[in-house]
Amino acid sequence: MKRAIALIDVNNFYASCERVFNPALKGRVVVVLSNNDGCVVARSAEAKALGIKMGVPWFHLKEEARRHKIIALSSNYALYADMSNRVMQIIGQYAPTQEVYSIDESFLDMTGLPKSHADIAKDMRSKILQWTGLPVCVGIAPSKTLAKLANHTAKKKLLDESGVCDFNALPADILEQTMSRIEVSDIWGVGRKLSARLIDLGIKTALDLRRQDPEYMRQQFSVVMEKTVRELQGHACMELEEVVPDKQQIISSRSFGFPVTDQQSIAEAISLYVSRAAEKLRAQQGYAGSLHLFIHTSPFGDGAKYSNSMTVPLPSPTDDTMQLIGVALWILKRIYKPGFRYQKAGVMLGEIVPTGGQQNDLFGFTAEAGKSARLMAALDSVNRKMGNGALRPASQGYHSPWAMRQENKSPGYTTDWQSLITTY
């Protein structure tokens, strides 16, 4: 039986989420900005048509924004995460095996489903649009890499405008003709550097790469490239991951809304970052064995430059927010220097081991492990019920002078009672 892997991808996800609750944005040029409204991280179709690139600093677009009436919005991650969860729940109803690949992409294994796969995909698109207001495209193929290309074909409307492309249903000549129209740089896992090397070898399209000998490509590149070629040839080398693997490192960092000069403000920011990282650590039932902290000034401008970092191995792996904050603030005292305008700070929890798999010490962090576990469970429970940050360490402060700049953030339409849309 031929495999049938579907990739469902929300079109222009961030911009589409904003349009669901603000119909006035439809047809307008919309970009969504990164933390502190710095760079473009998402674009509407209209913005892409203008040639606006991902990652371009917003201040570089000010003149173009005035000329084309570009609407710039601050990232609203709570809204995007909630809308993503709704879409993924709908998708999961259509097949027994699902892999949530990213916030706006999901794989499904449709192999063996009795109905036409294209018909299932069309019904899925219709239901997602009706229930969430978000447009999606679906690509179906015998491997994940080909499913990505099929989705690309549907999005670019290379064959039709249905929003669904089933490579399994295409005649061989039409499939090859379609793949000849897709640049090699558009293949999943082939980045800018690899595509440049492939083009030097005369491999310019997806069809060109499909026709290569897998063993030869392994010798020239790596085993990953060999798998990519085999997947393009219709052999599934990557199975769906139903359970997301635990992270080996957890990073929490952010640029400040404006330059920060005093140590206390940086300490408050770091306390927040550690708290967020520790929450994620406990969610995956892990303990951290080391903590890395960094601070630095802006690499741009004429001001004095300074950056420093330090990694500290912990006496015993822990998930206790208070203990981790204590270590982070100890590091800060040693790497902070007065007289600089700091632009960013961050923490990384490393050497993560599963709960119960840590080597305990006799006197250190684990001396009161039971009490710590109960305290962290209570902290997480309160914040889940009352909202993120409702209960927090005092070291985070109250005024947050280092908070992100989000001048054009939309309301929390689906996560905040005060932001619910009302009609009169």
Side-chain angles (χ1 to χ4, degrees):
M1 181 182 296
K2 196 169 188 179
R3 292 290 299 274
I5 306 299
L7 175 66
I8 303 91
D9 186 5
V10 182
N11 302 342
N12 310 311
F13 180 60
Y14 287 3
S16 294
C17 287
E18 299 287 353
R19 283 174 167 172
V20 169
F21 300 95
N22 187 357
L25 297 177
K26 292 182 178 180
R28 303 289 300 277
V29 182
V30 178
V31 297
V32 179
L33 305 178
S34 62
N35 292 341
N36 295 304
D37 297 342
C39 303
V40 173
V41 294
R43 304 156 294 164
S44 66
E46 295 80 3
K48 294 176 182 178
L50 283 178
I52 297 174
K53 304 295 184 182
M54 286 284 285
V56 62
W58 172 237
F59 69 86
H60 285 174
L61 295 174
K62 289 298 177 70
E63 178 57 32
E64 193 171 357
R66 184 191 60 78
R67 188 166 62 251
H68 296 288
K69 298 181 179 180
I70 299 174
I71 298 174
L73 300 172
S74 304
S75 297
N76 189 339
Y77 296 120
L79 173 65
Y80 309 149
D82 186 68
M83 295 296 285
S84 172
N85 290 335
R86 295 172 188 233
V87 171
M88 299 309 165
Q89 288 176 6
I90 298 171
I91 293 172
Q93 299 173 10
Y94 282 87
T97 305
Q98 177 187 16
E99 175 189 341
V100 179
Y101 178 68
S102 68
I103 193 170
D104 61 344
E105 295 177 282
S106 180
F107 287 102
L108 278 185
D109 190 345
M110 290 184 167
T111 308
L113 296 184
K115 292 178 60 178
S116 160
H117 297 151
D119 289 343
I120 294 173
K122 290 176 183 177
D123 181 69
M124 190 189 313
R125 289 187 75 240
S126 177
K127 184 168 292 185
I128 292 172
L129 183 63
Q130 180 183 4
W131 288 8
T132 69
L134 295 172
V136 304
C137 284
V138 183
I140 305 167
S143 69
K144 293 172 79 171
T145 303
L146 278 177
K148 278 268 193 177
L149 287 187
N151 185 280
H152 175 85
T153 301
K155 273 192 172 182
K156 298 298 183 180
K157 303 176 182 178
L158 298 182
L159 293 176
D160 56 44
E161 298 189 4
S162 67
V164 173
C165 178
D166 186 355
F167 275 3
N168 285 339
L170 292 181
D173 59 331
I174 300 299
L175 176 59
E176 291 200 348
Q177 181 183 350
T178 302
M179 294 184 69
S180 70
R181 300 169 61 188
I182 301 175
E183 295 181 3
V184 71
S185 59
D186 290 327
I187 298 173
W188 186 29
V190 178
R192 185 180 305 172
K193 292 183 179 179
L194 275 180
S195 61
R197 289 180 60 192
L198 289 169
I199 290 172
D200 287 341
L201 294 174
I203 303 171
K204 301 178 180 179
T205 68
L207 180 61
D208 293 337
L209 188 55
R210 174 187 170 96
R211 288 175 171 172
Q212 301 304 308
D213 176 59
E215 293 290 342
Y216 173 76
M217 297 306 291
R218 177 175 183 167
Q219 295 171 7
Q220 296 297 312
F221 294 88
S222 66
V223 67
V224 176
M225 181 60 74
E226 177 193 6
K227 288 184 177 180
T228 298
V229 174
R230 293 190 186 279
E231 288 244 329
L232 289 174
Q233 294 172 350
H235 307 292
C237 300
M238 295 180 284
E239 295 299 321
L240 269 64
E241 295 182 358
E242 297 181 68
V243 179
V244 179
D246 290 339
K247 295 180 179 179
Q248 299 304 305
Q249 297 175 333
I250 296 177
I251 299 173
S252 180
S253 66
R254 191 175 297 166
S255 297
F256 304 134
F258 49 85
V260 175
T261 57
D262 63 293
Q263 183 177 346
Q264 178 59 35
S265 294
I266 298 176
E268 293 179 4
I270 287 172
S271 296
L272 171 62
Y273 302 160
V274 172
S275 295
R276 296 282 171 82
E279 287 175 8
K280 295 178 181 179
L281 180 66
R282 291 191 292 272
Q284 74 173 45
Q285 298 184 333
Y287 284 160
S290 67
L291 189 148
H292 175 84
L293 172 68
F294 71 86
I295 56 175
H296 65 72
T297 59
S298 174
F300 309 105
D302 300 326
K305 306 292 189 297
Y306 174 73
S307 66
N308 205 346
S309 65
M310 182 185 292
T311 301
V312 171
L314 304 179
S316 182
T318 183
D319 65 354
D320 188 301
T321 297
M322 310 306 174
Q323 293 173 356
L324 293 169
I325 287 177
V327 174
L329 297 184
W330 181 88
I331 296 175
L332 178 63
K333 289 180 181 179
R334 281 149 182 82
I335 65 174
Y336 169 83
K337 285 187 176 181
F340 292 96
R341 293 162 60 85
Y342 291 93
Q343 183 251 349
K344 190 173 185 178
V347 298
M348 180 181 75
L349 304 182
E351 300 181 41
I352 295 175
V353 296
T355 301
Q358 78 277 22
Q359 177 66 46
N360 294 335
D361 66 342
L362 184 60
F363 303 105
F365 281 11
T366 55
E368 298 185 4
K371 181 179 178 181
S372 169
R374 292 191 298 273
L375 177 59
M376 292 302 102
L379 177 67
D380 292 340
S381 177
V382 170
N383 285 331
R384 280 195 299 269
K385 293 178 181 178
M386 306 302 294
N388 196 22
L391 187 62
R392 61 184 186 269
S395 58
Q396 287 186 25
Y398 297 95
H399 303 297
S400 303
W402 37 262
M404 283 195 301
R405 183 172 63 249
Q406 294 178 304
E407 296 177 354
N408 299 307
K409 181 182 176 184
S410 56
Y413 297 110
T414 64
T415 57
D416 180 5
W417 287 107
Q418 304 303 318
S419 298
L420 287 177
I421 294 177
T422 57
T423 59
Y424 299 93

